[in-house]
Amino acid sequence: MTALERALAAPKNLTFDELAGMLASEDEGLWREIFAAAREVKVKCGKTETLPRGLIETSNVCAKDCLYCGIRKGNAKVPRYLIPEEEVAACIDEARRRGYPAVAFQAGEIESEANTAYYERLTACATGRAGSMTPPLEVTLSLGEQTEEVYRRWKDAGAMRYLLRIETSNRELYAKIHPAECSFERRLWCVRALKRLGYVTGSGVMIGIPGQTIRDLANDIVFFGDERLDMVGMGPYIEHPETPLSELARRSSEHDVRLDLTLRMIALTRLYLHDVNIVAATALEVLDPEGGRNRGIEAGANVIMPVLTPRKYGCNYDLYPGKAHDRS
């Protein structure tokens, strides 16, 4: 039985060396087979429907100073915002109007009572627990590292899913792209706490970080399996000029390499994990404006996150240059 046949038969049937070897391969025939196999697994697992989750970028205020992120605390050039609750409610209503079954609240990482209560109220509004007669929506949160008590409060308010990207499973590389006060161990603890509390738990990585290797990426896929993740969200690293990491970034001519690697990671993650939700990241459309997100779906992803953030705010949710904005 070939490696691909084994991968089709059951999850986690590829070895680390096989994953690394496939990621490194430039055999176009092999990659046609891998992408076809990933689509076959999607059918086998009932993941053929593309699930929309309306993305609301509620705030770009962040206490972290990650070296790659455009809304890092140290970037004084980005105007900061927190969307008033009544305007978030209007975005939630827009998701209902479009027929989306779910919304996702994403923001910079803040730990405070005011922040916790704000998302309790928004979650209760979306899920109908605030007494609204409108149809309830599922809620995904992507609000960074918090205490277990905060995660519990948000779950009690109705949140179902939580996405906390680890960015890389290589501890040494993690330390190189984060300031000293950011702890890999705490991030991993948070992922596990979310799982323990019963969230549908997701994580993910950036692809194309300066210093990252093919073996790092193969290990990321193994990490997803070891942590028994329900969701995976990953996308290409796109350098932001107002970040320290941009000085080490690859040349823009290598964007195609990052796009190809991201599509390969999606396909191999599907083959390795089978029954998992994988996001076709909006960052794919920065590298391929004509069809990056669709290529992600064709590679094995099954979730998209159309942006519902009003443009007057979303233009300052500046994680990376060229980020798509779906709303006016």
Side-chain angles (χ1 to χ4, degrees):
M1 186 179 287
T2 67
L4 271 184
E5 288 172 337
R6 283 189 283 106
L8 280 165
K12 299 186 182 180
N13 252 3
L14 293 170
T15 68
F16 170 83
D17 286 336
E18 286 170 335
L19 288 168
M22 289 178 179
L23 280 169
S25 175
E26 297 301 328
D27 183 335
E28 293 184 7
L30 173 62
W31 276 104
R32 283 193 293 272
E33 293 180 12
I34 291 172
F35 288 130
R39 290 190 291 271
E40 187 174 338
V41 169
K42 277 179 67 174
V43 172
K44 177 180 175 182
C45 295
K47 298 291 187 183
T48 53
E49 182 183 2
T50 301
L51 305 174
R53 294 175 184 157
L55 178 63
I56 307 170
E57 298 149 327
T58 46
S59 175
N60 69 349
V61 180
C62 192
K64 297 288 179 68
D65 227 359
C66 304
L67 277 62
Y68 50 83
C69 183
I71 64 168
R72 64 194 302 268
K73 178 178 66 176
N75 182 7
K77 294 186 178 181
V78 62
R80 303 293 173 168
Y81 72 85
L82 174 69
I83 304 181
E85 291 177 41
E86 62 273 17
E87 294 187 52
V88 179
C91 296
I92 294 168
D93 286 341
E94 174 66 14
R96 292 191 178 102
R97 189 189 68 78
R98 296 188 188 188
Y100 297 161
V103 291
F105 300 136
Q106 183 181 70
E109 298 194 25
I110 296 291
E111 295 184 67
S112 72
E113 173 56 31
N115 188 70
T116 301
Y118 173 78
Y119 289 105
E120 279 183 314
R121 293 190 295 270
L122 295 184
T123 298
C125 173
T127 59
R129 298 193 182 192
S132 170
M133 300 299 291
T134 53
L137 299 179
E138 297 172 356
V139 170
T140 300
L141 301 177
S142 185
L143 305 172
E145 298 172 10
Q146 305 288 338
T147 66
E148 187 165 329
E149 176 58 25
V150 169
Y151 290 146
R152 184 178 290 107
R153 284 174 60 177
W154 288 338
K155 193 166 192 304
D156 289 344
M160 175 186 291
R161 304 181 186 91
Y162 204 105
L163 178 64
L164 181 62
R165 289 192 7 171
I166 203 159
E167 305 304 1
T168 176
S169 60
N170 181 327
R171 284 171 166 79
E172 292 182 2
L173 183 57
Y174 187 95
K176 290 179 181 178
I177 64 174
H178 293 90
E181 61 269 20
C182 290
S183 162
F184 179 93
E185 285 68 27
R186 189 189 183 208
R187 201 139 187 109
L188 182 56
W189 179 90
C190 287
V191 171
R192 292 173 175 172
L194 290 162
K195 192 78 178 176
R196 186 167 60 249
L197 288 169
Y199 278 94
V200 177
T201 304
S203 192
V205 297
M206 287 189 298
I207 298 159
I209 306 168
Q212 187 180 57
T213 68
I214 289 294
R215 294 182 71 81
D216 289 333
L217 292 172
N219 198 62
D220 290 337
I221 297 174
V222 174
F223 168 85
F224 301 152
D226 288 347
E227 297 301 323
R228 300 176 295 109
L229 296 179
D230 307 293
M231 305 185 294
V232 175
M234 52 190 168
Y237 164 65
I238 300 171
E239 60 270 22
H240 191 292
E242 298 300 329
T243 61
L245 197 63
S246 66
E247 299 174 8
L248 301 174
R250 302 179 182 187
R251 295 168 299 174
S252 59
S253 62
E254 293 186 341
H255 277 180
D256 286 346
V257 173
R258 295 182 215 170
L259 177 60
D260 287 345
L261 268 178
T262 302
L263 297 174
R264 293 178 182 189
M265 284 287 288
I266 290 172
L268 288 176
T269 298
R270 175 64 65 197
L271 285 175
Y272 190 72
L273 295 183
H274 284 214
D275 191 12
V276 65
N277 286 328
I278 302 176
V279 180
T282 54
L284 289 169
E285 296 198 334
V286 176
L287 304 189
D288 180 4
E290 300 302 316
R293 195 155 57 182
N294 287 337
R295 290 176 70 182
I297 296 295
E298 286 296 305
N302 68 308
V303 176
I304 58 172
M305 301 183 78
V307 179
L308 296 177
T309 315
R311 186 177 292 272
K312 64 180 178 179
Y313 300 111
C315 63
N316 290 318
Y317 199 78
D318 191 24
L319 301 179
Y320 47 79
K323 188 171 69 68
H325 301 284
D326 290 0
R327 287 193 69 189
S328 60

